[in-house]
Amino acid sequence: MAVAESGARSASRAASQPAWLQNVNPAAVLIAVVVVIMPAIASSFVLTQIFGWAYMLGTIALSLMFLAGYGGMVSLAQMTIAGFAGYVVAILGVNGVPGGMGWPWWLAVPAALALSMIVGAVVGALAVRTEGVYTIMITLAIAAAFYYFTNENYAIFNGHTGIDGIPTPAFLGVDWHAAIPFYYLTLAIAVLCWLAVSYVARAPFGLALQGIRDNPRRMAALGFNVYAHRVAAYVFAALIAALGGILLVWSYGEIAPGTVSVSAAIDILIIAVVGGIGDPIGAFIGALIYAVLKTFALDVLVAFGLDGNRFRLLIGLGFLAIVFFSPDGVIGLWARWRNRLRAPRAQKIGDGHG
């Protein structure tokens, strides 16, 4: 009886709260507060090499998550598009090699975003004609082709040396290359992209895209242009990936073919799958796990007397462990753990009512 009365009081308190407050997740609020005050409690190394890097890679992985989670299209060309945007900013803007055009960042960045969306449309037009593993293979082929093109082309991309001397813009009186300003810049872009994907997923376009993912023939019969929706999804994903690629270039002040290598493209897939391909926040969770592993895996291996150069083995084992126990990533693990905690409580309340 006491349990039933307690449950009734809790339900009454929840009903008396404003609607927006009832939807607030306390864990999400706590994480948001920690993320915002992170510069006050973390070193510059942690801000840039772990969290800043996680935000940038997470933004690129978010573009893959959007295509795969809402469109059912697994693309390995997202890092390629991110790298393309970085190369455009490097070539059109100020750099340390001969041939830079010296455009200001506020012209180079919009040009990079626009050209990246065009490239995304071309990649999408090719990829959406295939399904399943063939989509993965054609986007992987595009990624490999662009890597070899940048590696062997010296006139435009400066070959395997790449382009360096790329400055981070200074505007609003702030040096955005400094650790704390750049941390907040990457955080702001990551949040904006996450909000954009979350909004589009609930918008008519996103709902139609999910319907096409589940049953393209039925959606076509209802009058939806399946081909156009899928290509448009690639264009939107290209915009998000391009933002992440530009941040990467500003962070390191350089870009080289290694940025767009096949292994880098696969890393983005790993990040998206580890975090959880079905939820936008999963891309950033996977990116944070990846950043921590890649930063400290070498030290862990050396501490156990193993070859530090095999840090990718540790990353791969972590990836296999997560996928084995939870095909839907860390997000899936969290959901199952939360449901297990709620089940006994719900049963107690039900028994009390009975």
Side-chain angles (χ1 to χ4, degrees), residues 210-275:
Q210 294 171 60
I212 292 171
R213 173 200 63 193
D214 297 334
N215 196 329
R217 291 184 178 179
R218 185 173 185 179
M219 294 298 289
L222 292 173
F224 290 91
N225 190 325
V226 173
Y227 180 83
H229 275 77
R230 285 175 169 172
V231 172
Y234 270 90
V235 173
F236 177 69
L239 174 61
I240 295 174
L243 288 170
I246 292 170
L247 290 175
L248 280 177
V249 170
W250 284 349
S251 174
Y252 295 109
E254 62 181 6
I255 185 169
T259 305
V260 295
S261 65
V262 172
S263 62
I266 294 175
D267 286 345
I268 296 301
L269 176 62
I270 291 174
I271 288 170
V273 172
V274 166

Side-chain angles (χ1 to χ4, degrees), residues 64 67-68 71-78 123-124 126-143 230 234:
L64 172 57
L67 289 173
M73 302 171 289
V74 180
S75 169
L76 291 181
Q78 298 314 109
V123 172
L126 295 173
V128 299
R129 297 179 182 276
T130 61
E131 292 183 0
V133 69
Y134 298 104
T135 302
I136 298 175
M137 294 305 298
I138 195 170
T139 53
L140 179 61
I142 292 171
R230 285 175 169 172
Y234 270 90

Side-chain angles (χ1 to χ4, degrees), residues 120-309:
V122 173
V123 172
L126 295 173
V128 299
R129 297 179 182 276
T130 61
E131 292 183 0
V133 69
Y134 298 104
T135 302
I136 298 175
M137 294 305 298
I138 195 170
T139 53
L140 179 61
I142 292 171
F146 186 70
Y147 164 69
Y148 286 112
F149 181 60
T150 57
N151 196 52
E152 298 172 2
N153 187 292
Y154 286 86
I156 302 176
F157 301 103
N158 202 33
H160 66 271
T161 305
I163 302 173
D164 58 8
I166 307 166
T168 305
F171 55 94
L172 300 179
V174 178
D175 177 16
W176 293 98
H177 188 68
I180 294 178
F182 194 75
Y183 170 84
Y184 282 119
L185 177 62
T186 55
L187 174 61
I189 297 298
V191 171
L192 286 175
C193 290
W194 173 73
L195 290 173
V197 169
S198 300
Y199 172 79
V200 170
R202 297 190 299 269
F205 169 75
L207 296 176
L209 187 64
Q210 294 171 60
I212 292 171
R213 173 200 63 193
D214 297 334
N215 196 329
R217 291 184 178 179
R218 185 173 185 179
M219 294 298 289
L222 292 173
F224 290 91
N225 190 325
V226 173
Y227 180 83
H229 275 77
R230 285 175 169 172
V231 172
Y234 270 90
V235 173
F236 177 69
L239 174 61
I240 295 174
L243 288 170
I246 292 170
L247 290 175
L248 280 177
V249 170
W250 284 349
S251 174
Y252 295 109
E254 62 181 6
I255 185 169
T259 305
V260 295
S261 65
V262 172
S263 62
I266 294 175
D267 286 345
I268 296 301
L269 176 62
I270 291 174
I271 288 170
V273 172
V274 166
I277 210 76
D279 193 303
I281 201 64
F284 298 101
I285 295 174
L288 181 60
I289 294 172
Y290 178 86
V292 170
L293 283 176
K294 192 163 186 179
T295 302
F296 299 109
L298 188 147
D299 297 330
V300 171
L301 290 173
V302 172
F304 282 94
L306 301 174
D307 185 2
N309 293 323

Side-chain angles (χ1 to χ4, degrees), residues 51-78:
F51 283 94
W53 199 30
Y55 296 149
M56 292 183 284
L57 293 180
T59 300
I60 300 172
L62 179 64
S63 69
L64 172 57
M65 177 271 142
F66 174 78
L67 289 173
Y70 298 126
M73 302 171 289
V74 180
S75 169
L76 291 181
Q78 298 314 109

